[in-house]
Amino acid sequence: MNQWKIYAMLVFVMFAWGANVSLLKYMVEEVAPVTLTAFRILVAGLVVVLILWKMKLLRKPTPSEWKYILLGTLTNVVIHHYFLNMGLSITSATHGGLILGTGPMLTAISAAIILKYFPSKVQWLGVVLGLAGVAVSILVGSETMGANLGDFYVFLSILVQVLSFMVVSKAAKTLDPRLLTAYMLIIGAIILIVISLIQEPGAIKQFSSTTSNFWIIFLASAIVCTAVGHLMYNYAVGQAGATKAAIFMNLNPVFSLIISALFLGEVLHLNHFLGLILIIAGVMLGSGAAEDLWKKRQQIRQKSNA
C-alpha cells in the first residue's frame, strides 16, 4: 500500500483513539470498568471476525503463530484495556491523554532495545518535538498535577501496549496483523469477562439501567475505535514498523482536546495551539514523512537537472 495511505490511515486511527478516551471516561461512570471493557472488547472482536470473514482472510494459525497471538492477547488486550479502564475510572481524561502521549517515546526506546531498530536523528527529533507538544497541549488548564494510582494504571496500560507492538511487528512476518487482531480481541474478551465476574460480581446488571445515549457511545467505541481502529493500526504497524506508526500516537491528545472543546465546551488556550504545531512537526519528522518528501524533491530536482 502507498506510504501516504498508511499515514492517512494512522491519522484516522488517532482521531478515533483520541475520541475514545473521552468516551471511555463517560462510560466508566455508568458501568464498572472491567465489566465494561470486557463486553466492549467482545463486541469489537466479533465485528473484526465478521469483517475478515467477508474479506476471506480467516484461517487457522500455525502452532508457532499461537505464541504471538497469546502474548499479544495478554499485552495488547487484557493488560492494556484492564489498566486503561481502571485508570480512567479514578483519574481525569486530561491526565490520561497526557500519559498515553508518551507512547511514541516508549515505542522508540523499546524498538531500539528489542528489535534492534534505531531511529534516525531526524526521527528522534520528531519524537522529542511530539512529546513537547503533548506536554504543552495537555498540561495547560490541568487542575491537578500530582501523580496518583489512576495515572500509574494508565501509564502501565500504554507501556504494555507498546510492548505488544513489538509482538505485532514480529508476528506480521507470517501472520496478517488483521487476523492477529481478531484472535487477540476474542480471546482477550473471554479472559476479561472471567476477570470481571470475579472482580465485579453482579456488575453486568448495570447495563440494564443505562440510557440509549450510553449504547450509542458504547457501539461507537467498540466498533469504530476498537474494532476498526485496532485493525487499521495493527495493519499499519506491519507495513510501516512499530516506531514509525507509534509517532502518530502524539495526535491522540490533540484530537481529545479538539473534541472536548467542540462537545464539552472546554476552552482552548494559545498554548494548546503551540502544542498542536509542535505535535504536527513531531509527527512529520518522527514518522519519516518529512524525509520522504525531501528525498522525492531531491529526485525530482536531479531528474530536471539531468
Side-chain angles (χ1 to χ4, degrees), residues 121-179:
K121 291 180 180 178
V122 174
Q123 286 179 297
W124 275 116
L125 175 61
V127 170
V128 173
L129 285 176
L131 282 177
V134 168
V136 171
S137 297
I138 295 295
L139 289 177
V140 173
S142 180
E143 295 178 0
T144 58
M145 301 294 289
N148 57 36
L149 186 60
D151 294 336
F152 174 72
Y153 282 167
V154 175
F155 176 78
L156 192 57
S157 79
I158 190 62
L159 178 61
V160 293
Q161 188 185 44
V162 162
L163 294 175
S164 79
F165 297 155
M166 309 300 118
V167 177
V168 172
S169 289
K170 289 199 170 188
K173 294 176 182 177
T174 62
L175 184 64
D176 190 312
R178 294 167 293 186
L179 185 59

Short mmCIF file of all heavy atoms in Angstrom, two decimals, residues 121-179:
data_model
loop_
_atom_site.label_atom_id
_atom_site.label_comp_id
_atom_site.label_asym_id
_atom_site.label_seq_id
_atom_site.Cartn_x
_atom_site.Cartn_y
_atom_site.Cartn_z
N LYS A 121 18.42 10.36 13.49
CA LYS A 121 18.46 11.55 14.33
C LYS A 121 17.23 12.43 14.09
O LYS A 121 16.70 13.04 15.02
CB LYS A 121 19.74 12.34 14.06
CG LYS A 121 21.01 11.64 14.54
CD LYS A 121 22.25 12.47 14.24
CE LYS A 121 23.50 11.75 14.73
NZ LYS A 121 24.74 12.52 14.41
N VAL A 122 16.80 12.49 12.83
CA VAL A 122 15.62 13.30 12.49
C VAL A 122 14.37 12.72 13.17
O VAL A 122 13.53 13.46 13.70
CB VAL A 122 15.41 13.36 10.96
CG1 VAL A 122 14.10 14.06 10.62
CG2 VAL A 122 16.58 14.08 10.30
N GLN A 123 14.26 11.38 13.17
CA GLN A 123 13.11 10.74 13.82
C GLN A 123 13.13 10.95 15.33
O GLN A 123 12.09 11.16 15.95
CB GLN A 123 13.08 9.25 13.47
CG GLN A 123 12.62 8.98 12.03
CD GLN A 123 12.62 7.50 11.71
OE1 GLN A 123 13.67 6.85 11.73
NE2 GLN A 123 11.46 6.97 11.42
N TRP A 124 14.33 10.89 15.93
CA TRP A 124 14.43 11.15 17.37
C TRP A 124 14.00 12.58 17.68
O TRP A 124 13.34 12.84 18.69
CB TRP A 124 15.86 10.92 17.86
CG TRP A 124 16.16 9.48 18.19
CD1 TRP A 124 17.06 8.67 17.58
CD2 TRP A 124 15.57 8.70 19.23
NE1 TRP A 124 17.06 7.43 18.16
CE2 TRP A 124 16.15 7.41 19.17
CE3 TRP A 124 14.59 8.94 20.19
CZ2 TRP A 124 15.80 6.39 20.04
CZ3 TRP A 124 14.23 7.92 21.07
CH2 TRP A 124 14.84 6.66 20.98
N LEU A 125 14.39 13.52 16.80
CA LEU A 125 13.97 14.91 16.97
C LEU A 125 12.45 15.01 16.91
O LEU A 125 11.83 15.74 17.69
CB LEU A 125 14.60 15.79 15.88
CG LEU A 125 14.17 17.26 15.86
CD1 LEU A 125 14.55 17.95 17.16
CD2 LEU A 125 14.81 17.99 14.67
N GLY A 126 11.84 14.24 16.00
CA GLY A 126 10.39 14.22 15.89
C GLY A 126 9.73 13.70 17.15
O GLY A 126 8.71 14.23 17.61
N VAL A 127 10.33 12.65 17.75
CA VAL A 127 9.80 12.10 19.00
C VAL A 127 9.82 13.16 20.10
O VAL A 127 8.83 13.35 20.83
CB VAL A 127 10.62 10.86 19.44
CG1 VAL A 127 10.23 10.43 20.86
CG2 VAL A 127 10.40 9.71 18.47
N VAL A 128 10.95 13.86 20.22
CA VAL A 128 11.10 14.88 21.26
C VAL A 128 10.12 16.04 21.04
O VAL A 128 9.46 16.50 21.98
CB VAL A 128 12.55 15.41 21.29
CG1 VAL A 128 12.67 16.58 22.26
CG2 VAL A 128 13.51 14.29 21.71
N LEU A 129 10.01 16.52 19.79
CA LEU A 129 9.08 17.60 19.48
C LEU A 129 7.64 17.19 19.77
O LEU A 129 6.85 17.97 20.31
CB LEU A 129 9.21 18.03 18.01
CG LEU A 129 10.43 18.86 17.63
CD1 LEU A 129 10.45 19.12 16.13
CD2 LEU A 129 10.46 20.18 18.39
N GLY A 130 7.30 15.95 19.40
CA GLY A 130 5.95 15.46 19.63
C GLY A 130 5.60 15.41 21.11
O GLY A 130 4.53 15.83 21.53
N LEU A 131 6.54 14.91 21.91
CA LEU A 131 6.31 14.84 23.36
C LEU A 131 6.21 16.24 23.97
O LEU A 131 5.41 16.47 24.87
CB LEU A 131 7.43 14.05 24.04
CG LEU A 131 7.34 12.53 23.92
CD1 LEU A 131 8.55 11.88 24.57
CD2 LEU A 131 6.07 12.00 24.55
N ALA A 132 7.03 17.16 23.46
CA ALA A 132 6.97 18.55 23.95
C ALA A 132 5.60 19.13 23.65
O ALA A 132 4.98 19.81 24.47
CB ALA A 132 8.06 19.38 23.30
N GLY A 133 5.08 18.85 22.45
CA GLY A 133 3.76 19.33 22.08
C GLY A 133 2.66 18.73 22.94
O GLY A 133 1.71 19.41 23.32
N VAL A 134 2.80 17.43 23.24
CA VAL A 134 1.83 16.77 24.11
C VAL A 134 1.80 17.45 25.48
O VAL A 134 0.73 17.76 26.03
CB VAL A 134 2.18 15.27 24.26
CG1 VAL A 134 1.36 14.64 25.38
CG2 VAL A 134 1.92 14.53 22.97
N ALA A 135 2.98 17.69 26.03
CA ALA A 135 3.07 18.32 27.35
C ALA A 135 2.45 19.71 27.36
O ALA A 135 1.67 20.05 28.24
CB ALA A 135 4.54 18.39 27.80
N VAL A 136 2.78 20.50 26.34
CA VAL A 136 2.24 21.87 26.26
C VAL A 136 0.73 21.84 26.10
O VAL A 136 0.00 22.61 26.74
CB VAL A 136 2.89 22.63 25.08
CG1 VAL A 136 2.18 23.96 24.85
CG2 VAL A 136 4.36 22.89 25.37
N SER A 137 0.22 20.95 25.25
CA SER A 137 -1.22 20.89 24.96
C SER A 137 -2.05 20.43 26.15
O SER A 137 -3.09 21.00 26.47
CB SER A 137 -1.49 19.95 23.79
OG SER A 137 -0.88 20.42 22.62
N ILE A 138 -1.58 19.38 26.82
CA ILE A 138 -2.39 18.74 27.85
C ILE A 138 -2.25 19.40 29.21
O ILE A 138 -3.23 19.54 29.94
CB ILE A 138 -2.02 17.24 27.96
CG1 ILE A 138 -2.39 16.53 26.67
CG2 ILE A 138 -2.73 16.60 29.13
CD1 ILE A 138 -3.86 16.48 26.38
N LEU A 139 -1.04 19.83 29.56
CA LEU A 139 -0.83 20.34 30.91
C LEU A 139 -1.50 21.68 31.15
O LEU A 139 -1.80 22.04 32.28
CB LEU A 139 0.67 20.46 31.21
CG LEU A 139 1.39 19.12 31.40
CD1 LEU A 139 2.87 19.35 31.62
CD2 LEU A 139 0.81 18.35 32.57
N VAL A 140 -1.74 22.46 30.08
CA VAL A 140 -2.40 23.75 30.25
C VAL A 140 -3.82 23.55 30.75
O VAL A 140 -4.60 22.79 30.18
CB VAL A 140 -2.45 24.51 28.91
CG1 VAL A 140 -3.29 25.77 29.05
CG2 VAL A 140 -1.05 24.87 28.47
N GLY A 141 -4.15 24.17 31.83
CA GLY A 141 -5.51 24.09 32.36
C GLY A 141 -5.78 22.86 33.17
O GLY A 141 -6.90 22.65 33.64
N SER A 142 -4.76 22.01 33.37
CA SER A 142 -4.96 20.82 34.19
C SER A 142 -5.08 21.23 35.65
O SER A 142 -4.30 22.01 36.16
CB SER A 142 -3.77 19.86 34.02
OG SER A 142 -3.94 18.71 34.80
N GLU A 143 -6.09 20.74 36.32
CA GLU A 143 -6.36 21.16 37.68
C GLU A 143 -5.42 20.53 38.70
O GLU A 143 -5.07 21.11 39.70
CB GLU A 143 -7.82 20.84 38.04
CG GLU A 143 -8.83 21.62 37.20
CD GLU A 143 -10.25 21.24 37.55
OE1 GLU A 143 -10.43 20.37 38.42
OE2 GLU A 143 -11.18 21.81 36.96
N THR A 144 -5.03 19.30 38.45
CA THR A 144 -4.16 18.62 39.40
C THR A 144 -2.93 18.10 38.67
O THR A 144 -3.04 17.58 37.57
CB THR A 144 -4.88 17.43 40.06
OG1 THR A 144 -5.32 16.53 39.04
CG2 THR A 144 -6.06 17.90 40.87
N MET A 145 -1.78 18.23 39.30
CA MET A 145 -0.53 17.82 38.65
C MET A 145 0.08 16.61 39.34
O MET A 145 1.02 16.02 38.86
CB MET A 145 0.48 18.99 38.67
CG MET A 145 -0.03 20.24 37.96
SD MET A 145 -0.24 19.98 36.21
CE MET A 145 1.47 19.88 35.73
N GLY A 146 -0.41 16.26 40.51
CA GLY A 146 0.18 15.16 41.27
C GLY A 146 -0.16 13.81 40.67
O GLY A 146 -1.25 13.60 40.14
N ALA A 147 0.83 12.89 40.75
CA ALA A 147 0.58 11.54 40.26
C ALA A 147 -0.32 10.81 41.24
O ALA A 147 -0.31 11.05 42.42
CB ALA A 147 1.91 10.81 40.12
N ASN A 148 -1.15 9.90 40.74
CA ASN A 148 -1.97 9.07 41.62
C ASN A 148 -2.06 7.67 41.04
O ASN A 148 -1.44 7.37 40.02
CB ASN A 148 -3.37 9.69 41.80
CG ASN A 148 -4.09 9.90 40.48
OD1 ASN A 148 -3.95 9.09 39.56
ND2 ASN A 148 -4.85 10.97 40.36
N LEU A 149 -2.80 6.84 41.70
CA LEU A 149 -2.89 5.44 41.27
C LEU A 149 -3.47 5.32 39.87
O LEU A 149 -3.02 4.50 39.06
CB LEU A 149 -3.75 4.65 42.27
CG LEU A 149 -3.84 3.14 42.05
CD1 LEU A 149 -2.45 2.50 42.13
CD2 LEU A 149 -4.78 2.50 43.07
N GLY A 150 -4.46 6.18 39.54
CA GLY A 150 -5.05 6.15 38.21
C GLY A 150 -4.05 6.49 37.13
O GLY A 150 -4.02 5.86 36.07
N ASP A 151 -3.19 7.49 37.39
CA ASP A 151 -2.14 7.85 36.44
C ASP A 151 -1.18 6.68 36.21
O ASP A 151 -0.78 6.40 35.08
CB ASP A 151 -1.33 9.05 36.95
CG ASP A 151 -2.16 10.32 37.02
OD1 ASP A 151 -3.16 10.41 36.29
OD2 ASP A 151 -1.82 11.21 37.81
N PHE A 152 -0.84 5.99 37.30
CA PHE A 152 0.07 4.84 37.19
C PHE A 152 -0.57 3.73 36.37
O PHE A 152 0.10 3.10 35.53
CB PHE A 152 0.43 4.31 38.58
CG PHE A 152 1.25 3.04 38.55
CD1 PHE A 152 2.58 3.06 38.15
CD2 PHE A 152 0.67 1.82 38.89
CE1 PHE A 152 3.32 1.89 38.10
CE2 PHE A 152 1.41 0.66 38.85
CZ PHE A 152 2.74 0.68 38.45
N TYR A 153 -1.86 3.48 36.59
CA TYR A 153 -2.56 2.45 35.81
C TYR A 153 -2.54 2.78 34.31
O TYR A 153 -2.31 1.90 33.47
CB TYR A 153 -4.01 2.33 36.28
CG TYR A 153 -4.20 1.57 37.57
CD1 TYR A 153 -5.42 1.61 38.26
CD2 TYR A 153 -3.17 0.79 38.11
CE1 TYR A 153 -5.61 0.90 39.44
CE2 TYR A 153 -3.36 0.08 39.30
CZ TYR A 153 -4.58 0.15 39.95
OH TYR A 153 -4.76 -0.55 41.12
N VAL A 154 -2.80 4.05 33.97
CA VAL A 154 -2.81 4.44 32.56
C VAL A 154 -1.42 4.30 31.96
O VAL A 154 -1.26 3.83 30.83
CB VAL A 154 -3.32 5.89 32.39
CG1 VAL A 154 -3.22 6.33 30.93
CG2 VAL A 154 -4.78 6.00 32.86
N PHE A 155 -0.39 4.69 32.73
CA PHE A 155 0.99 4.53 32.23
C PHE A 155 1.31 3.06 32.00
O PHE A 155 1.92 2.69 30.99
CB PHE A 155 1.99 5.13 33.23
CG PHE A 155 3.42 4.91 32.82
CD1 PHE A 155 3.99 5.70 31.84
CD2 PHE A 155 4.18 3.90 33.41
CE1 PHE A 155 5.32 5.48 31.44
CE2 PHE A 155 5.49 3.69 33.02
CZ PHE A 155 6.06 4.48 32.03
N LEU A 156 0.90 2.21 32.93
CA LEU A 156 1.13 0.78 32.78
C LEU A 156 0.42 0.25 31.54
O LEU A 156 0.96 -0.60 30.81
CB LEU A 156 0.63 0.04 34.03
CG LEU A 156 1.03 -1.43 34.19
CD1 LEU A 156 2.53 -1.60 34.16
CD2 LEU A 156 0.45 -1.98 35.49
N SER A 157 -0.77 0.77 31.27
CA SER A 157 -1.53 0.32 30.10
C SER A 157 -0.82 0.67 28.80
O SER A 157 -0.78 -0.13 27.86
CB SER A 157 -2.94 0.92 30.11
OG SER A 157 -2.95 2.26 29.67
N ILE A 158 -0.25 1.87 28.72
CA ILE A 158 0.44 2.27 27.48
C ILE A 158 1.77 1.54 27.36
O ILE A 158 2.21 1.22 26.25
CB ILE A 158 0.64 3.81 27.40
CG1 ILE A 158 1.13 4.23 26.01
CG2 ILE A 158 1.59 4.33 28.45
CD1 ILE A 158 0.18 3.91 24.89
N LEU A 159 2.42 1.26 28.48
CA LEU A 159 3.70 0.53 28.45
C LEU A 159 3.52 -0.86 27.87
O LEU A 159 4.27 -1.28 26.98
CB LEU A 159 4.30 0.45 29.85
CG LEU A 159 5.62 -0.32 29.97
CD1 LEU A 159 6.71 0.32 29.12
CD2 LEU A 159 6.06 -0.39 31.43
N VAL A 160 2.50 -1.59 28.35
CA VAL A 160 2.30 -2.96 27.83
C VAL A 160 1.78 -2.93 26.39
O VAL A 160 2.07 -3.83 25.60
CB VAL A 160 1.33 -3.78 28.73
CG1 VAL A 160 1.95 -4.06 30.06
CG2 VAL A 160 -0.02 -3.10 28.88
N GLN A 161 1.04 -1.87 26.03
CA GLN A 161 0.59 -1.76 24.64
C GLN A 161 1.78 -1.55 23.71
O GLN A 161 1.84 -2.12 22.62
CB GLN A 161 -0.41 -0.62 24.47
CG GLN A 161 -1.04 -0.60 23.07
CD GLN A 161 -1.93 0.60 22.85
OE1 GLN A 161 -1.59 1.72 23.20
NE2 GLN A 161 -3.09 0.37 22.25
N VAL A 162 2.72 -0.74 24.15
CA VAL A 162 3.94 -0.51 23.36
C VAL A 162 4.70 -1.82 23.16
O VAL A 162 5.17 -2.13 22.06
CB VAL A 162 4.84 0.54 24.06
CG1 VAL A 162 6.26 0.48 23.54
CG2 VAL A 162 4.26 1.94 23.85
N LEU A 163 4.80 -2.62 24.22
CA LEU A 163 5.47 -3.92 24.11
C LEU A 163 4.71 -4.83 23.14
O LEU A 163 5.32 -5.62 22.41
CB LEU A 163 5.57 -4.58 25.48
CG LEU A 163 6.48 -3.87 26.50
CD1 LEU A 163 6.41 -4.57 27.85
CD2 LEU A 163 7.92 -3.83 26.00
N SER A 164 3.38 -4.69 23.11
CA SER A 164 2.58 -5.52 22.20
C SER A 164 2.86 -5.17 20.74
O SER A 164 2.75 -6.01 19.85
CB SER A 164 1.08 -5.36 22.50
OG SER A 164 0.56 -4.15 21.95
N PHE A 165 3.24 -3.90 20.47
CA PHE A 165 3.55 -3.50 19.10
C PHE A 165 4.77 -4.26 18.58
O PHE A 165 4.89 -4.53 17.39
CB PHE A 165 3.79 -1.99 19.00
CG PHE A 165 2.59 -1.16 19.36
CD1 PHE A 165 2.75 0.14 19.82
CD2 PHE A 165 1.31 -1.66 19.20
CE1 PHE A 165 1.64 0.92 20.14
CE2 PHE A 165 0.19 -0.89 19.53
CZ PHE A 165 0.36 0.40 20.00
N MET A 166 5.70 -4.58 19.49
CA MET A 166 6.87 -5.37 19.11
C MET A 166 6.42 -6.77 18.69
O MET A 166 6.95 -7.35 17.73
CB MET A 166 7.85 -5.48 20.28
CG MET A 166 8.26 -4.17 20.94
SD MET A 166 9.07 -3.01 19.84
CE MET A 166 7.90 -1.64 19.90
N VAL A 167 5.45 -7.30 19.42
CA VAL A 167 4.91 -8.63 19.10
C VAL A 167 4.24 -8.61 17.73
O VAL A 167 4.45 -9.50 16.90
CB VAL A 167 3.89 -9.08 20.17
CG1 VAL A 167 3.27 -10.43 19.80
CG2 VAL A 167 4.55 -9.18 21.54
N VAL A 168 3.43 -7.56 17.48
CA VAL A 168 2.73 -7.43 16.21
C VAL A 168 3.74 -7.33 15.06
O VAL A 168 3.56 -7.95 14.00
CB VAL A 168 1.80 -6.20 16.21
CG1 VAL A 168 1.22 -5.95 14.82
CG2 VAL A 168 0.67 -6.40 17.21
N SER A 169 4.81 -6.56 15.26
CA SER A 169 5.83 -6.39 14.21
C SER A 169 6.47 -7.73 13.85
O SER A 169 6.69 -8.03 12.68
CB SER A 169 6.92 -5.42 14.67
OG SER A 169 6.42 -4.10 14.72
N LYS A 170 6.75 -8.54 14.87
CA LYS A 170 7.38 -9.84 14.62
C LYS A 170 6.39 -10.82 14.02
O LYS A 170 6.72 -11.60 13.12
CB LYS A 170 7.97 -10.39 15.92
CG LYS A 170 9.21 -9.64 16.39
CD LYS A 170 10.02 -10.47 17.38
CE LYS A 170 11.36 -9.80 17.65
NZ LYS A 170 12.26 -10.66 18.45
N ALA A 171 5.15 -10.80 14.52
CA ALA A 171 4.13 -11.74 14.02
C ALA A 171 3.76 -11.45 12.57
O ALA A 171 3.37 -12.35 11.83
CB ALA A 171 2.89 -11.66 14.90
N ALA A 172 3.88 -10.17 12.16
CA ALA A 172 3.46 -9.74 10.81
C ALA A 172 4.27 -10.42 9.71
O ALA A 172 3.87 -10.38 8.54
CB ALA A 172 3.58 -8.22 10.68
N LYS A 173 5.39 -11.04 10.07
CA LYS A 173 6.22 -11.71 9.06
C LYS A 173 5.50 -12.91 8.45
O LYS A 173 5.70 -13.24 7.28
CB LYS A 173 7.55 -12.14 9.67
CG LYS A 173 8.43 -10.98 10.10
CD LYS A 173 9.69 -11.45 10.80
CE LYS A 173 10.54 -10.26 11.26
NZ LYS A 173 11.75 -10.71 11.99
N THR A 174 4.65 -13.57 9.23
CA THR A 174 3.92 -14.74 8.71
C THR A 174 2.41 -14.64 8.88
O THR A 174 1.66 -15.30 8.16
CB THR A 174 4.39 -16.03 9.43
OG1 THR A 174 4.11 -15.93 10.83
CG2 THR A 174 5.88 -16.26 9.23
N LEU A 175 1.96 -13.82 9.84
CA LEU A 175 0.53 -13.73 10.17
C LEU A 175 0.00 -12.34 9.86
O LEU A 175 0.56 -11.35 10.32
CB LEU A 175 0.33 -14.06 11.66
CG LEU A 175 -1.11 -14.12 12.18
CD1 LEU A 175 -1.89 -15.25 11.52
CD2 LEU A 175 -1.10 -14.31 13.70
N ASP A 176 -1.07 -12.27 9.08
CA ASP A 176 -1.69 -10.98 8.76
C ASP A 176 -2.09 -10.29 10.07
O ASP A 176 -2.82 -10.86 10.87
CB ASP A 176 -2.93 -11.20 7.89
CG ASP A 176 -3.49 -9.90 7.32
OD1 ASP A 176 -3.64 -8.93 8.09
OD2 ASP A 176 -3.78 -9.86 6.11
N PRO A 177 -1.59 -9.04 10.30
CA PRO A 177 -1.91 -8.34 11.56
C PRO A 177 -3.40 -8.20 11.81
O PRO A 177 -3.83 -8.14 12.97
CB PRO A 177 -1.26 -6.96 11.36
CG PRO A 177 -0.17 -7.19 10.37
CD PRO A 177 -0.70 -8.26 9.44
N ARG A 178 -4.21 -8.16 10.75
CA ARG A 178 -5.66 -8.05 10.93
C ARG A 178 -6.23 -9.34 11.50
O ARG A 178 -7.13 -9.31 12.35
CB ARG A 178 -6.31 -7.69 9.59
CG ARG A 178 -5.93 -6.31 9.07
CD ARG A 178 -6.33 -6.10 7.63
NE ARG A 178 -5.54 -6.96 6.73
CZ ARG A 178 -5.60 -6.89 5.40
NH1 ARG A 178 -6.39 -5.99 4.82
NH2 ARG A 178 -4.86 -7.69 4.65
N LEU A 179 -5.70 -10.47 11.06
CA LEU A 179 -6.13 -11.76 11.60
C LEU A 179 -5.64 -11.90 13.04
O LEU A 179 -6.37 -12.41 13.91
CB LEU A 179 -5.58 -12.90 10.74
CG LEU A 179 -6.03 -14.32 11.12
CD1 LEU A 179 -7.55 -14.45 11.04
CD2 LEU A 179 -5.36 -15.35 10.22
#
